[in-house]
Each structure stands twice: as C-alpha cells, then as structure tokens.
Amino acid sequence: MARFLYSTVLIVSVFPLHTTSNYGPSDDQCFCQLSGKVEDCCCDVEAVHNLNKEVYPKILEIVKQNYFKFFKVNLGRSCPFWPDDGTCSLKDCSVQTCKEDEVPEGVKGYHDPKKSYNHKPLKVQKENSKRQTVKEQPKKCKGDNSTLGDVNIHLSEEDKQAFETWQQYDDAENSFCQPEDELSADLKYVNLLLNPERFTNYKGDSANRVWYSIYQENCFKLPNPYTEKYEASSALNQLCLEKRVFYRVISGMHASINTHLSAQYLFKGNGFMKPEWRPNVEEFKKRFDPEKTKGQGPSWLKNIYFLYLLVWRAVIKAGPYWKQEGFFTGHKSEDGLVKKHIGDLLLQSRNCPSTFDETMMFTGDPVTSRGLKEEFRKKFRNITRIMDCVGCQKCRLWGKVQTQGIGTALKILFSSNQFAEDTVSPSFRLKRNEIVALFNALGRYSSSIHYVQMFRSLTRR
C-alpha cells in the first residue's frame, strides 16, 4: 500500500502484537532467513518458499490480464471516524483513473445481444437457461379449446430493484467488507498496473492515526500491553485461535506493505542520476531488523507467510466457483487464457495441499461461536472503512484492494455450507471486484515473499 504509514515501526513497537522468537542471525545469515512452522497454519516456511517459487510467475501473469487489472473504487469517500486531515499533495500519491473507452465493455458488465461477443458471461448463460426451462409449449384446458398463454417471466423495474435489494442484503450478511455504493458516480475504474504499490513518502500524523486506530481500536485487545515484563509471545498465546488469526491477518498485511515500499523505494537521484525505484536495504532493515524492532521484526515477516497461506486456502477452496466463472471481458481468447492460468494455478497448489484449516475456527458452543464470528466480521468491516481515512490516494487504493481481497478470502472460508467437495452452492456468488481484489491480494503477498528472499540475498553481499 505504497508509503502507507512511514512510522510503522514506532507504532508497532508500542503495540507488540506479534510473537517473538530466537532469530539471532549469525554473521553470515540475514535476520530475514526464516524457518520452521508458520504459526496457526499447516505449512512451514520452507514449503511456502518452494510453493511460491513455482506459482509466483503465474500469479503475476494472472493479475496482468484485463479482467484483473481494472479495479472499480471510490477514492473520494470521506473519513467516517475523524475530520479529514487533507490528502497527500505529493505527485507520487496521486492515482490515475481510467477513461471510459480504456475499460473493456465486458469488464464494465455490458452485454449487448446484438453485438458479436465471442461468448456470454456466466450470469447471462444462467438467465437464458432459466428462460428456456420456464417457457413451455401452450397447454389446453380440459373441455375447453382455449389456450393458456406463455408464462410471463419478465420483471418490472420495481421487482428488479427489490431483488437487487434482497441480494445486497444477503451479500452484506456474509461480507467482511464495507461495500461500495454501486450506484455512486464517484466510482471509477483504476488500472492497477499503472498505479503500483510502492513508496510515496506519505507519513506524519495522518498516516500514524490510521494504524493506531486499526491496532488499538479495532483489533482484539492483548492483555497488559504496557507492562515492563510484557512478552508478546505469551500474551498472544493466551488468546483464542480466532483472535490470533485476526492479529496475524492485520500484521501480515502491515508487514507486506512495509516490504513493498522497501523493495520499491524512490531514490531521487541527483544531477547525474535520474530518479529510480529500486530496493532499499537500509529501509528494510529499519523496519524488520530485530535490533531496531525489539526482536519482533522477523515475527512480523513471518505473518506475511501466514496471510499468504490463508488467502491461498480461500483460492483453493473456491476452486469449484472458478470452474463456473466466465472471467468475462468480451474477448474469447483472453477469457480462455485466464481460465487456463487459474486452472494451472490450482494444479500447482497441490505442491502445498495443507495451508490453513478454517474448520478449527468458530467451533464449540454455537451461541458463543456465532457471537465471536460476528465480532470478528464487524471489526474487519470497520478496518475496511478506515481505508477511507488514508490521506495518500495511492495508499488508499491499495489499502482498499488488500482489505477487500482479505475480506473476500474470509467470506469464502467462513460462508457456511457453501462449498462441498467439488461443488458450490448456487446461492454463493462473488462480485467481479471481489474476485479482482482476492487475486491481487494474493499477488501482493506472493510478491512480498519473493522480496523477502531478495533482501536475504542483498543483505548477505
């Protein structure tokens, strides 16, 4: 999320939310040379490295496709929690939105039956199938030569609005994200490839307040965070699995953001050298070196692996849904290529079949579990709304992409009775923006793991 919160190390050192471990590296070993089991997951670090090495190029190829590179977002919504501090005036904070003719018609959801598209989106195919089923041959009544007319399957505009309202309500019940107003004229398409997540120099009180609010006000509280004898590992282990998972999700996203801004850091150059974006080893050390983070930096990095595995699990679990999804852009060859890429990705995922086990969460007493799940959902929805308080447009964009991507993963994992073996319930659906956010979030965490390996090499030179 670009330069989202410059002083993140200071903030997190005040709120030690992560487990600590003995990561004292030897002289020839980087502190980012992680190993062992990824806490609260079914994989170890070595397995994640092997998996990511295989799938990283494929994930990058997927998010470059038209279906995944256009994200619809409102970057102008006001902060609901405190007065706006004003937007970042730096040029690297700005976001370039798309012109109407730059976005494929299929991506925008348009489908003209008179136009020669290569194929129809899944939604249209289902609707046509229903029409063929309902419309039968005219029938005659006994003792009467009169003919019954065809069943009128057309809906009035009022009926359509009612159905849409019901669907939005159903979606909201399962959603972990604060939904965008689909009818707002402020929603614009953004080409994510033209607005990459990287350093923007956004910092100060505005940025600090965002993370303070996320950690201190919207996360489940850790016991006694200010005592001198406080140990993050023991405090975190006192929490139930659900609360630990919540922490690791936020921590993993936070660490991923800091990894990206360190890997895509702006060196302004001088009269002889042009400005360029490249890795900044010192910035990476400042954010994760145990000596500069009270020993916690490596644990923060390890939570990227946790989040990566959680999102991976959602992508794998939704496999039956991807098989029926059209990934429609209006270009048959490109849509087919996307389906092939995702099919290949699911095949490669078998190299690490055990990732994250969501069935261990929200078990036990039904009343208590339902209450905890609802609290979990509301807290994460609140965090998605806090993204409207980020002053840097580019940081806000990637904050929204990632929180919606994580929210979509949580929706897949915790929507009850929607997936069974290789089938998916007809009532389960994902909006295009949710799919785009999910795969781009996976791309962020895959890239972060790649960058951690890169910094490991750079720090050993």
Side-chain angles (χ1 to χ4, degrees):
M1 193 165 56
R3 185 60 169 175
F4 184 19
L5 191 68
Y6 183 81
S7 55
T8 50
V9 172
L10 295 178
I11 289 293
V12 178
S13 65
V14 174
F15 307 109
L17 305 174
H18 315 276
T19 58
T20 57
S21 184
N22 297 323
Y23 288 100
S26 61
D27 293 339
D28 61 347
Q29 181 178 336
C30 173
F31 62 86
C32 55
Q33 186 169 333
L34 309 175
S35 62
K37 186 177 182 293
V38 179
E39 287 80 0
D40 294 320
C41 279
C42 310
C43 266
D44 58 27
V45 168
E46 292 75 15
V48 174
H49 283 157
N50 292 333
L51 171 66
N52 198 57
K53 185 177 179 180
E54 294 293 324
V55 302
Y56 178 59
K58 182 67 68 177
I59 294 172
L60 289 187
E61 189 62 32
I62 288 173
V63 297
K64 288 178 182 177
Q65 304 302 314
N66 276 335
Y67 185 90
F68 291 99
K69 73 181 182 184
F70 292 105
F71 185 70
K72 197 173 187 181
V73 63
N74 180 1
L75 296 174
R77 289 206 304 189
S78 60
C79 174
F81 304 111
W82 57 78
D84 285 336
D85 298 311
T87 57
C88 175
S89 59
L90 298 170
K91 66 176 184 178
D92 294 314
C93 284
S94 63
V95 169
Q96 176 184 348
T97 58
C98 298
K99 296 179 181 179
E100 188 69 17
D101 59 359
E102 293 176 336
V103 183
E105 296 291 288
V107 168
K108 292 185 286 189
Y110 298 150
H111 180 76
D112 184 353
K114 296 181 180 179
K115 189 173 181 179
S116 180
Y117 282 113
N118 289 314
H119 77 283
K120 298 177 181 180
L122 179 65
K123 183 177 180 181
V124 175
Q125 290 174 338
K126 284 185 176 180
E127 290 175 350
N128 286 345
S129 176
K130 288 179 181 178
R131 292 191 182 101
Q132 292 169 1
T133 301
V134 174
K135 187 174 181 180
E136 299 176 348
Q137 294 296 321
K139 296 180 180 179
K140 293 184 179 182
C141 296
K142 292 182 179 180
D144 189 358
N145 292 326
S146 62
T147 302
L148 294 177
D150 293 342
V151 175
N152 185 350
I153 62 171
H154 299 290
L155 299 176
S156 67
E157 288 301 318
E158 184 178 352
D159 290 335
K160 290 178 181 178
Q161 282 189 338
F163 280 129
E164 185 63 27
T165 300
W166 297 338
Q167 185 63 60
Q168 288 176 358
Y169 176 80
D170 291 340
D171 289 345
E173 287 297 290
N174 292 321
S175 176
F176 285 77
C177 297
Q178 183 70 30
E180 297 274 8
D181 181 3
E182 297 288 344
L183 301 178
S184 172
D186 295 323
L187 280 172
K188 305 291 183 184
Y189 283 98
V190 174
N191 185 331
L192 297 177
L193 298 183
L194 299 180
N195 298 275
E197 181 188 26
R198 59 189 183 186
F199 178 93
T200 67
N201 204 32
Y202 171 58
K203 57 185 177 181
D205 292 341
S206 173
N208 291 345
R209 184 184 289 185
V210 170
W211 278 117
Y212 181 93
S213 179
I214 289 174
Y215 276 116
Q216 184 65 0
E217 298 174 16
N218 291 282
C219 279
F220 297 96
K221 296 290 191 298
L222 282 171
N224 303 320
Y226 297 108
T227 59
E228 292 182 3
K229 296 182 179 180
Y230 174 81
E231 292 184 5
S233 57
S234 60
L236 192 56
N237 289 333
Q238 291 177 33
L239 299 178
C240 64
L241 173 63
E242 291 80 3
K243 295 182 180 181
R244 294 201 306 271
V245 166
F246 196 97
Y247 272 126
R248 296 195 196 283
V249 164
I250 302 304
S251 170
M253 181 181 73
H254 193 176
S256 175
I257 291 165
N258 286 333
T259 301
H260 273 85
L261 68 88
S262 300
Q264 299 290 329
Y265 192 93
L266 177 61
F267 289 86
K268 296 185 177 180
N270 50 41
F272 301 98
M273 298 180 63
K274 294 181 179 180
E276 63 175 328
W277 305 88
R278 55 185 170 85
N280 187 331
V281 174
E282 292 306 312
E283 186 72 20
F284 183 74
K285 288 181 178 180
K286 182 171 70 175
R287 294 179 179 280
F288 297 110
D289 192 318
E291 295 182 359
K292 301 179 185 297
T293 60
K294 297 183 179 180
Q296 298 184 80
S299 295
W300 302 342
L301 288 174
K302 211 170 185 181
N303 283 331
I304 300 175
Y305 291 66
F306 170 85
L307 184 54
Y308 175 80
L309 290 173
L310 182 143
V311 175
W312 245 122
R313 169 58 187 154
V315 171
I316 295 169
K317 185 175 183 177
Y321 191 88
W322 310 137
K323 291 179 182 179
Q324 70 177 30
E325 173 60 46
F327 301 105
F328 183 69
T329 65
H331 301 280
K332 184 176 181 180
S333 59
E334 183 176 332
D335 299 348
L337 183 62
V338 169
K339 287 187 73 69
K340 181 182 183 304
H341 283 328
I342 291 179
D344 292 343
L345 192 66
L346 292 175
L347 288 175
Q348 289 176 305
S349 71
R350 295 176 181 176
N351 295 333
C352 186
S354 299
T355 54
F356 175 78
D357 187 0
E358 72 281 1
T359 63
M360 300 295 292
M361 295 179 62
F362 307 115
T363 59
D365 177 68
V367 176
T368 302
S369 297
R370 280 197 300 269
L372 182 59
K373 182 179 179 181
E374 183 61 16
E375 186 180 8
F376 190 106
R377 190 178 70 88
K378 286 183 176 179
K379 284 181 179 294
F380 194 83
R381 280 172 67 96
N382 210 42
I383 289 174
T384 67
R385 195 69 176 92
I386 292 175
M387 294 302 105
D388 288 316
C389 302
V390 179
C392 167
Q393 264 201 344
K394 192 168 291 182
C395 306
R396 181 180 294 201
L397 168 66
W398 282 103
K400 284 175 171 285
V401 171
Q402 292 190 57
T403 52
Q404 184 161 0
I406 296 170
T408 303
L410 297 174
K411 176 180 177 179
I412 292 170
L413 294 177
F414 302 121
S415 291
S416 302
N417 304 319
Q418 297 295 324
F419 298 91
E421 296 182 358
D422 292 331
T423 62
V424 58
S425 169
S427 65
F428 184 83
R429 76 167 190 175
L430 294 173
K431 296 180 180 179
R432 181 188 162 276
N433 242 29
E434 291 178 307
I435 299 173
V436 171
L438 175 67
F439 279 89
N440 273 280
L442 179 64
R444 293 298 83 202
Y445 313 132
S446 179
S447 295
S448 290
I449 291 173
H450 173 79
Y451 288 146
V452 169
Q453 292 294 90
M454 176 193 70
F455 279 117
R456 175 184 168 185
S457 299
L458 292 176
T459 53
R460 295 176 65 180
R461 289 180 180 177

